[in-house]
Every structure is written in C-alpha cells, then in structure tokens.
C-alpha cells in the first residue's frame, strides 16, 4: 500500500516520531562539515523524479521541498501553471496524468481547493504530497512546527501553545490542532469570533482565550497566523489596524512576550503591522526563520518516508 502523510489523524505516532528523528539526522548531516556524508545523502532518492505542482503561490513550501528533494539526489520538475495547458481548460487530473506518463515518482501539490488532495490521491498509485490545500490542511508545515518545538522542549508535555489569528482560513491551524493534540500538547486559540470556525467550538480539546492577558499567562509558545486576505470577501475584521491593536503582537504585547521569554512562531509569509511588528525579528525567541529552515530537513524525511521503500 502506498504511504501518505496527507491525513495526520491517520498517521501513526511511531511513523511521525521516525520522520522527525530522521529530520534531526538530516539536519546534523546537512549542517555538518562532512562533505562525504552530505554526498551520500544523494543515494537515498537517486533516480527519482518529483513533480512540483503549485496551483497556488508559495515560497517556503515549494523551495524547501525542491531543496529537500535535491539534497536526497532526486530530480525535480516544476509545473509552471501559468504557462501550462491548465490555462486552456485542461483539468487537474488530466494535467497530472500527463506528468505521470513522464515517469514521475511523486507529485507535490498545492491547490486552493480544500480537500482536493484526497480527491487527486484516489486517481494515482504514486504518492501525492499535500503542500497545502485551501483552508483544509498543510501537514508538512505542522510536522516542521512540531519538529521546531521538539528542538526547544525536551518534554512536550511542558508546552502550552496558543494559536492566534485567522483560524477559519488557516490550513496550518487545522493541521497543527490535530498534530499537537496527538502529542499531548496543550493547545489554546485566540481570535476574533468571526475568524474562528464554528465547527471547532464544541471541541473539548480546544480552549478559547478571551484576551492577551490570558494568552500571556498560560502560554509558553504563541503561534501567530497570517491574515489570509486572499480568502476573505469582507466582514471578517473591521480594519487591519484594529485587528493589530486587539489581536496582533503590537509594541506592548511584544514587550510582555519578551519579558516572559515566550517563543513566537509564524508559518509565514508575515503581514507586518497586522499579526506582528518588524521589530519582533530581533527577539531571540522568535522561531520564524528556524521554522523556515527546519522545513528542509522535515521535508527530506517526508520524501524519504514516501519514496525510498
Ligand atoms: N508556510 C507556508 O506555507 O509558506 P509558503 O506559502 O511560502 O509556502
């Protein structure tokens, strides 16, 4: 049976732990000084062909999957959606069927339709990697977030993490709520009521925070979410400056975060002046760029898990 990481609910804890442990090994090798060890990594997926099919824009996920694949010796092929026959009306499945005939071993797909990866998966025998589908899920981001937390906390039961912001549109939040819960991490949420999905309201595992005071008192990690303006019509927030005042890490909140040594996370890309201020970049417990870098090692481990059988 082909493996997949698309449904974090179904992925076993032992498989997740072995992916994350492998990511740690990859990090040590890639950052280490031993060129032979780095070259040896290229044996792992030597000869594999991986197609990057991004129907929605990306910097981190796309580039880190490509770097990850190349670190393991795979060849990557980018589907340029804007110049492809998709613009002439070719369907998504027909497009991928074409690439399948070019002997691809895996498709890494991002798309703006929620749930579409499971639909694509049913058409193909090769592994389909979910690189983010609409507001539904972003499993590789949640795995790299968990990896980043494991580097900071020896004991994950000591973590209390609050997810702040646009939860309703966030695939990162949905995947993290599943994964963090699976690992027993206490998870809270803090958002305007309009940006919190009603179907999560009854979950006994999610604790809703009413104000920053509560968030700062209870959390040792704050995960900010990007305001997903491209998925909003209107009516979700009054103004960006009002959102920043009540739900953003403004000057006063940043001062309190720094005083308490709380870790700050954000999947990126960041909207400065809305979720957070540029000045937060110099804060030592800001993990945003560590998350970015860890994306490479976790995605190397994911590709090995899916393709090296
Ligand atoms: N976090 C994330 O998915 O970023 P990109 O959209 O740049 O891939």
């Amino acid at each position: 049976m082909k493996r997949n990481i698309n449904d974090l609910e179904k992925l076993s804890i032992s498989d997740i732990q072995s992916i994350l442990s492998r990511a740690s090994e990859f990090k040590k090798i890639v950052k280490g000084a031993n060129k032979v060890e780095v070259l040896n990594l290229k044996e792992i997926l030597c000869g594999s062909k991986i197609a990057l099919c991004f129907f929605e824009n990306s910097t981190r996920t796309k580039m880190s999957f490509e770097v990850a694949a190349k670190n393991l010796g795979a060849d990557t092929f980018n589907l340029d959606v804007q110049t492809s026959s998709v613009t002439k009306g070719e369907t998504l499945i027909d497009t991928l069927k074409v690439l399948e005939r070019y002997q691809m071993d895996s498709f890494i797909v991002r798309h703006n339709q929620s749930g579409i990866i499971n639909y694509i998966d049913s058409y193909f025998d090769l592994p389909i990697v979910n690189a983010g589908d609409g507001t539904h899920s972003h499993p590789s981001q949640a795995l790299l977030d968990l990896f980043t937390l494991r580097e900071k906390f020896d004991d994950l039961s000591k973590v209390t993490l609050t997810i702040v912001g646009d939860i309703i549109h966030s695939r990162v939040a949905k995947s993290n709520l599943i994964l963090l819960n699976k690992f027993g991490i206490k998870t809270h949420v803090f958002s305007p009521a309009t940006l919190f999905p009603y179907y999560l309201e009854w979950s006994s595992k999610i604790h809703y925070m009413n104000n920053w005071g509560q968030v700062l008192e209870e959390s040792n990690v704050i995960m900010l979410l990007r305001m997903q303006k491209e998925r909003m019509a209107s009516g979700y927030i009054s103004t960006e400056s009002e959102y920043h005042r009540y739900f953003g890490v403004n000057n006063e909140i940043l001062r309190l975060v720094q005083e308490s040594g709380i870790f700050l996370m954000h999947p990126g890309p960041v909207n400065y002046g809305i979720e957070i201020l540029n000045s937060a970049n110099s804060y030592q417990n800001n993990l945003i760029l560590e998350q970015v870098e860890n994306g490479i090692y976790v995605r190397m481990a994911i590709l090995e898990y899916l393709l090296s059988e």
Side-chain angles (χ1 to χ4, degrees), residues 57-62 110 138 141 267-269:
N57 292 346
S58 165
T59 298
R60 290 153 198 77
T61 313
K62 185 175 177 187
R110 169 168 288 190
H138 196 348
Q141 177 72 43

Side-chain angles (χ1 to χ4, degrees), residues 26-33 38 293 297:
F26 286 143
K27 184 168 186 174
K28 276 195 201 95
I29 294 171
V30 172
K31 292 184 81 101
V38 174
E293 184 186 333
Y297 315 119

Side-chain angles (χ1 to χ4, degrees), residues 101-120:
R101 287 296 173 128
Y102 300 151
Q103 286 90 43
M104 295 295 147
D105 295 295
S106 181
F107 300 140
I108 299 173
V109 183
R110 169 168 288 190
H111 204 284
N112 65 4
Q113 288 188 29
S114 305
I116 201 158
I117 303 298
N118 292 340
Y119 168 74
I120 297 169

